[in-house]
Amino acid sequence: MRVRFRGVLRREVVLLRGPLGWAEWAPFVEYDDRDAARWLAAAVELGWRGLPDPVRTEVGVNATVPAVGPADVAGVLARFPGCRTVKVKVAEGGEELTDDLARVAEVRRVAGPGARVRVDANGAWDVEQARAALRRLARHDLEYAEQPCATVEELAALRVALARDGTDVPVAADESVRRAEDPLRVAREEAADLVVVKVAPLGGVARALAVVQACGLPAVVSSALDTSVGLAAGVALAAALPRLDHDCGLGTAALLAADVVPEPLLPVGGRLTTARADTARSAVDPALLAAYRAPAERERWWRDRLGRAHAVLAGTRGRDRRTGGV
């Protein structure tokens, strides 16, 4: 990684070659085998089952600003030329609200009054902290706040509190959708104005499309710190959504200091195309795979984990066949 993001400085992934091309399996190391199995389902879809047809050929993407100081904001934004939307990380561990205010203020200054600015707290605030923070951050004309609180109950309470305060900041649900046993609950309990969906955590493009349709809320497609192979699946999802009103968080190859393809899937003019995504999936470079191959001990750890995730996935699909579930 160019800078620390989501607490990560080095991203670890497994690349799998299927009959339909390269696929990526990269559950974060702290995730359990059940979470990892959903990510594996997405990889199987990408490499073995295929993707739905697109309804658009290009997708707008946002710039992403990690928890950097104001002096570093302009340099980060320079890696996302043409992007009209910026997502800013807030509520980072060890920082204060004053740090968030300074970072967002500098993003607004550099990006200009016409840019859309959204913040992402990754569920770090409780309701009162989120209420106070968003009241102050709202002066920068926020597009929305992503996962300001951890639970569905908190998100629902926060939406009510923001309305009472007259704080005009929509709430987006991310972790409450992608890591939930019931990803539709946020819609039923009116806990979000829109949903952020990611291909791998939801088990693939087809499953993510079904979740968005069932939620009935506007959707934003985002990445999970993927390489260009994983990002290609995100582009496929964004391109297949019947409705796409927001720029998507699929420009995160700019946060990587290295990739597995010679020409990473970076936005041009603030946009990614399905044609470039397809090219990225077929352009994995053996020399880059060799250069960044994990040490033998770490590779064994991932192979063992892959076996466990496969066993969970096989068991889940066996139960689904017996019960008629999806």
Side-chain angles (χ1 to χ4, degrees), residues 127-314:
V127 173
E128 287 307 311
Q129 289 171 328
R131 184 179 184 181
L134 294 176
R135 185 166 55 240
R136 298 180 67 181
L137 288 165
R139 73 185 68 168
H140 300 296
D141 187 22
L142 298 184
E143 182 185 27
Y144 61 75
E146 182 175 328
Q147 200 70 41
C149 304
T151 70
V152 171
E153 292 85 356
E154 288 175 316
L155 293 179
L158 177 63
R159 288 187 73 226
V160 172
L162 293 176
R164 288 174 177 167
D165 293 342
T167 302
D168 186 16
V169 178
V171 172
D174 177 8
E175 286 88 346
S176 291
V177 174
R178 65 180 169 90
R179 297 202 68 191
E181 291 300 319
D182 181 2
L184 307 183
R185 188 177 167 212
V186 291
R188 286 199 310 272
E189 300 196 15
E190 299 183 346
D193 299 282
L194 63 157
V195 292
V196 179
V197 290
K198 299 179 180 179
V199 170
L202 285 174
V205 174
R207 174 86 198 292
L209 283 171
V211 167
V212 172
Q213 182 179 12
C215 279
L217 295 173
V220 177
V221 180
S222 191
S223 82
L225 290 184
D226 310 303
T227 72
S228 290
V229 172
L231 287 172
V235 173
L237 171 57
L241 284 172
R243 172 186 175 188
L244 187 64
D245 300 329
H246 301 271
D247 289 335
C248 294
L250 297 172
T252 51
L255 300 176
L256 300 177
D259 208 322
V260 296
V261 298
E263 296 184 13
L265 192 56
L266 296 167
V268 175
R271 309 188 77 76
L272 290 171
T273 65
T274 54
R276 289 186 59 225
D278 291 342
T279 299
R281 279 192 61 210
S282 63
V284 172
D285 188 341
L288 291 172
L289 294 183
Y292 297 110
R293 186 167 183 165
E297 181 178 351
R298 194 61 178 168
E299 185 173 330
R300 283 193 298 272
W301 185 90
W302 275 100
R303 286 181 180 275
D304 289 344
R305 190 186 191 201
L306 179 59
R308 298 195 308 271
H310 181 267
V312 172
L313 182 60

Side-chain angles (χ1 to χ4, degrees), residues 6 8 10-16 24-43 178-179 200-202 224-226 298 301-302 305-310:
R6 198 190 169 280
V8 173
R10 185 180 297 273
R11 187 71 171 105
E12 299 182 47
V13 306
V14 175
L15 292 183
L16 307 169
E24 180 171 311
W25 181 64
F28 291 107
V29 296
E30 69 271 19
Y31 285 5
D32 63 21
D33 292 345
R34 191 169 182 177
D35 280 331
R38 283 195 289 265
W39 291 59
L40 184 56
R178 65 180 169 90
R179 297 202 68 191
L202 285 174
L225 290 184
D226 310 303
R298 194 61 178 168
W301 185 90
W302 275 100
R305 190 186 191 201
L306 179 59
R308 298 195 308 271
H310 181 267

